Amino acid sequence: MNVLVGIKRVPATAGQITLTPDGQEIDTRYLGFTVSPHEECAVEEAVRLIEKHGGSSTVLTLGPEAAIDQLREAMALGIERAMLLETDGREWDPVATAAAMVEAIEAERAAGRTYDVVMFGNESADSAGYQVGVRVADALDLPCVTGIKALEVTNGHATVRRQTESGWEVADVPLPAVLTVKEGINLPRYPSLPGRLKAKKKEIERSTPQWQDGGLEKIRLKLPVQVGHTVEILGKDGDPGVQVVELFQRLRLL
Amino acid sequence: MLSLEVLTMAGRVALDIGRPLEAVAIGSQGAGAAGILSSYGVSTLHVADDPRLAEYAPVAWAHAIAELADQVNAEIVIGTASDRGGEVMAHVGARMQVPLAANCTEIAPGDPFIVIRQRWGGSLLEEAHIKARVKLLTLAPHALTAEASPSRTDVTTRAFTPALDDRDFRVRLVPQVEADTGKISLAQARVVVGGGRGVGSAEGFASLEELADLLGGAVGCSRAVTSLGWRPHSDQVDQTGTRIAPDLYIACGISGAIQHMVGCRAAKHILAINTDPAAPIVAQADYAVIGDVQKVLTAVNAEIKRVKAGAPSRTPA
């Protein structure tokens, strides 16, 4: 079977987000970059599918040239091929992103490469549009299940489960299908050193799609207003156990 | 699921643009909603009439909504940003070939049509313009307080039969109710004791388990802990894991990355236990103990047991 995974390069934020002075971007001068958490799990799931069923795996991203780092991370985990849809760093909204990915998948098909499973993350960590996978599925006329936390493939069908507040929902879909993954479906492995070295040497297939206006335009970013509050330090002098238990009693938890 | 927050927001927006507020009900329970809708200014309730819609089939539900939106010349379609709501609205956007603004917190209709929407789980906000013939958006939970109007409207209930074919039902999601394990769920717990890397090891969570038991709460953890394999992902509190809303969140050895804070933002109070007074979690907590997690929890658990055994509380030295 053939599996395609769509990923996104996002800043690795820590304790606080800082914006650039023009409010257009997160200030990433002191930040690293990573793959969105749900997509890390999608990559792992793709590698496991191929380990179990055989076939080939491909990773696809739309982003700046630097997103090659994230493609290589995915290849270090076991993905074989990587495709970069290179942008000039401008933001692409979900409609435009999905359209470029559909175009790439159709070009693959024209070249004789078809996919049984196309995976995405449920939503990206940064812009969180919750829709690229759905739009790709719609354009390719494929069934789609979002937010899955378990996947079993047998005889050209995928049985997927997703979590709800009261338990689980189950669906059985014929392949090919688009599946968007939620973190927790697996625990991604760490890349091995040989895996990293191999990934470094691999070729990245690049193309440059045309930017389009998808109709959702980012004007500016802003940080939510922080309500000022003070912290009461307990146990500074005396037994922290006693003071914490007094707090529990004050909050009527004991 | 009926969201009163969405109804409240939709009512305000409808008033703002001078259009009637209409609602669409899909699924088996929808038709019974007219009573509630009359308190939120709804003029017409459209009930999708197709027995196949009784169970959840995202594409079919979306195509019914898209068809109705065209029929009534909807200018704006608002849904809730729940798992199902977000999924259905994404399909509506794909079907109608218009953009969707997910997780909005504010809407200012007009030209341009402005929304404020959440990024990074709400740690960052985006002001965006929606440019489309029909504006689609989902409303983030807790964006506003639901408010019924003092006067009731007469709701006209109208059935419509969307043109759906079998392909729209390729994906059906069937609920599978889990046996009640008797364990207090993370999302519902009144007290959550969360552990981070500072707990030290998987075994180190024993003291957190004990504290959670003593308080009748649940144990959670940070993403670092899940990645280390110390706890299952079902314990993970953050943007991509479980979001909690306890009366008290006790964050033990957790630094407080923004993704983690998204997961515990709805806690009424936060108590941080951390060796580092400069950790971001300490600045965002209501109470903090600066010290080693295991030492502090040993003292706390011993004191709870003393108090529960009927011993008088010791006054601090």
Side-chain angles (χ1 to χ4, degrees), chain B residues 288-306:
Chain B
V289 179
I290 306 305
D292 174 70
V293 169
Q294 298 301 346
K295 281 188 192 145
V296 173
L297 289 188
T298 303
V300 170
N301 291 344
E303 180 65 11
I304 295 176
K305 282 184 256 180
R306 259 174 45 80

Side-chain angles (χ1 to χ4, degrees), chain A residues 1-5 39-59 71-81 117 119 151 181 185-191 202:
Chain A
M1 73 185 301
N2 299 325
V3 183
L4 178 72
V5 195
E39 294 152 18
E40 259 181 59
C41 292
V43 167
E44 172 68 32
E45 200 63 22
V47 172
R48 289 186 190 187
L49 277 178
I50 298 310
E51 282 170 349
K52 192 168 171 193
H53 301 279
S56 79
S57 54
T58 304
V59 61
L71 293 173
R72 291 208 193 282
E73 279 174 35
M75 288 196 288
L77 293 180
I79 301 280
E80 292 153 31
R81 276 178 72 221
V117 178
M119 272 197 273
L151 167 62
V181 166
I185 189 171
N186 55 42
L187 185 60
R189 70 194 72 187
Y190 286 101
K202 282 197 173 169

Side-chain angles (χ1 to χ4, degrees), chain A residues 154-209:
Chain A
T154 38
N155 297 331
H157 273 252
T159 306
V160 299
R161 300 208 303 158
R162 65 183 198 189
Q163 212 159 11
T164 66
E165 271 172 30
S166 53
W168 294 86
E169 286 176 328
V170 186
D172 182 68
V173 291
L175 300 180
V178 174
L179 304 172
T180 82
V181 166
K182 267 196 187 172
E183 190 185 57
I185 189 171
N186 55 42
L187 185 60
R189 70 194 72 187
Y190 286 101
S192 64
L193 188 61
R196 278 190 185 283
L197 292 175
K198 228 169 99 187
K200 231 176 170 174
K201 290 192 211 127
K202 282 197 173 169
E203 195 199 332
I204 308 278
E205 296 167 38
R206 295 162 75 149
S207 60
T208 312

